[in-house]
Amino acid sequence: MKHFLSIAALTPDELLALLDLATQLKQEWRSGGNKPILQGKSLALVFQKPSLRTRVSFEMGMVHLGGYGLYLSPNEIKMGGRESVPDVARVLSGYVDGVMARVFEHEHILQLAEFGSVPIINGLSDYSHPAQALTDIFTILESKGHLQGLKIAYIGDGNNVARSLLFGAMKVGMHMTIATPSGYNLTDEDITLAQQYSRHGAQVERTENPQQAVEDADVIYTDVWTSMGQEAETAKRLEVFPPYQINKKLVDQAKPDCIVMHCLPAHRGEEITDEVADGPHSVLFPQAHNRLHAQKAILAELLADK
Ligand code: CP
Ligand code: NVA
């Protein structure tokens, strides 16, 4: 593995190996701390958008492994504005051992990998959020003890988070049904790719009916209705999406032991109610905390001396 750009680019074996490594690193950290396998290594954290989880978990992940994380806010580099993405990639490659970037255009992640000479990690683009998906699958594995044959119901916007989760689910043999309003679903191309990635008979379905989607679901997943960069569409989306809210009535239609997930930040009262977010099925905060452990596996895999 040279970069961590997308779940699509990982072989199923690479994905499973990252999950194993995350389990080991979490265990090690809980029993007194991680070994300093990244001593002397540095990671630039380039952000074009705000962040709580991605910034803190990658930065602290570097610290726990003995390395250094350098946060660069949207106003500092102005990547693509003050300086071209290829030039940013060329310059940073001479200073740090790796770059994690959160960008608007996915193309910018690909350009960082093309023009830089150090490993690049995708910390969210408009197209995908693979570090989140890896964490989500890790969290499902922890909660359920296995992955193959489980069913995820994704309810809400067919966005970056939905796409990465779908690709990851297929690669580890989980079924996924995506319920979105008309016009907000994942594309036919996404579904064709998902079917190509499917292992162990994993099936993908699209529907406009959230009640149908949660039937027999082991996992209910949602994300905000308006992603970063789509703020101009907020009013329109607030009219379209309310039937897709995760509330107790919807959760009660899934399996009795289903877990509820959200990548966060949540707009409580919109895509998820307080009752569900803070209720017995919710794994929202263990999920958020697992960003630290799952991403340490990515950092170890890309940056540690072999
Ligand atoms: N889920 C997630 O990526 O959160 P942040 O936007 O806070 O990083
Ligand atoms: N879909 C959201 C995820 C935030 C972590 C966004 O792109 O804003």
Side-chain angles (χ1 to χ4, degrees):
M1 201 172 106
K2 198 168 161 223
H3 301 287
F4 185 81
L5 306 180
S6 61
I7 293 290
L10 296 176
T11 65
D13 284 347
E14 284 172 333
L15 182 50
L16 294 173
L18 284 171
L19 294 170
D20 272 352
L21 189 52
T23 306
Q24 282 170 37
L25 289 166
K26 182 169 181 179
Q27 191 103 36
E28 183 183 82
W29 180 70
R30 282 190 159 172
S31 11
N34 292 121
K35 297 195 185 82
I37 54 172
L38 297 187
Q39 196 154 30
K41 304 280 173 147
S42 54
L43 180 77
L45 304 152
V46 177
F47 283 85
Q48 289 184 331
K49 298 175 179 175
S51 171
L52 169 61
R53 280 144 291 270
T54 305
R55 187 257 164 109
V56 179
S57 56
F58 269 111
E59 195 168 325
M60 287 303 111
M62 284 303 287
V63 170
H64 291 179
L65 296 174
Y68 185 81
L70 176 69
Y71 172 68
L72 295 157
S73 74
N75 271 334
E76 273 167 295
I77 299 194
K78 296 192 194 293
M79 187 168 70
R82 179 171 183 263
E83 195 157 4
S84 76
V85 179
D87 279 356
V88 169
R90 290 179 181 113
V91 171
L92 281 177
S93 294
Y95 296 146
V96 293
D97 301 292
V99 177
M100 190 240 71
R102 165 166 288 192
V103 301
F104 286 96
E105 293 170 48
H106 187 68
E107 180 59 26
H108 287 172
I109 292 285
L110 302 180
Q111 286 181 3
L112 286 170
E114 184 182 349
F115 295 99
S117 54
V118 295
I120 304 299
I121 298 169
N122 177 356
L124 180 147
S125 69
D126 285 353
Y127 179 71
S128 62
H129 198 2
Q132 181 70 54
L134 177 69
T135 305
D136 297 338
I137 296 168
F138 178 60
T139 306
I140 295 169
L141 180 60
E142 272 192 331
S143 303
K144 297 285 172 191
H146 72 289
L147 296 170
Q148 266 180 48
L150 294 177
K151 177 184 166 182
I152 304 175
Y154 179 95
I155 315 289
D157 187 24
N159 61 15
N160 45 6
V161 167
R163 185 176 293 107
S164 293
L165 183 64
L166 172 63
F167 292 168
M170 292 296 114
K171 290 192 181 208
V172 298
M174 288 192 287
H175 308 296
M176 186 154 145
T177 301
I178 305 151
T180 64
S182 170
Y184 294 92
N185 216 321
L186 291 178
T187 63
D188 291 345
E189 192 195 340
D190 293 323
I191 301 303
T192 304
L193 282 172
Q195 285 162 341
Q196 286 168 14
Y197 300 144
S198 166
R199 302 241 305 175
H200 310 293
Q203 300 282 325
V204 51
E205 278 181 44
R206 281 179 294 185
T207 174
E208 289 178 23
N209 183 335
Q211 284 77 25
Q212 184 194 324
V214 299
E215 220 170 89
D216 289 327
D218 301 283
V219 178
I220 300 178
Y221 199 114
T222 193
D223 184 13
V224 289
W225 293 337
T226 304
S227 283
M228 292 181 276
Q230 299 175 329
E231 288 77 7
E233 297 174 29
T234 304
K236 183 168 170 232
R237 284 169 175 265
L238 277 172
E239 277 175 26
V240 174
F241 276 93
Y244 295 82
Q245 182 187 67
I246 308 296
N247 49 39
K248 186 171 182 303
K249 193 166 163 227
L250 192 67
V251 173
D252 284 346
Q253 292 172 58
K255 280 193 180 161
D257 64 348
C258 76
I259 56 170
V260 174
M261 305 181 75
H262 190 314
C263 58
L264 301 179
H267 288 180
R268 286 166 175 255
E270 292 181 17
E271 76 276 2
I272 192 164
T273 59
D274 282 332
E275 188 181 17
V276 172
D278 301 324
H281 297 274
S282 169
V283 297
L284 267 52
F285 297 102
Q287 178 188 0
H289 297 156
N290 273 340
R291 294 289 299 275
L292 182 63
H293 310 294
Q295 291 163 190
K296 276 184 196 171
I298 301 170
L299 295 170
E301 179 61 32
L302 292 178
L303 302 181
D305 293 326
K306 296 282 175 336

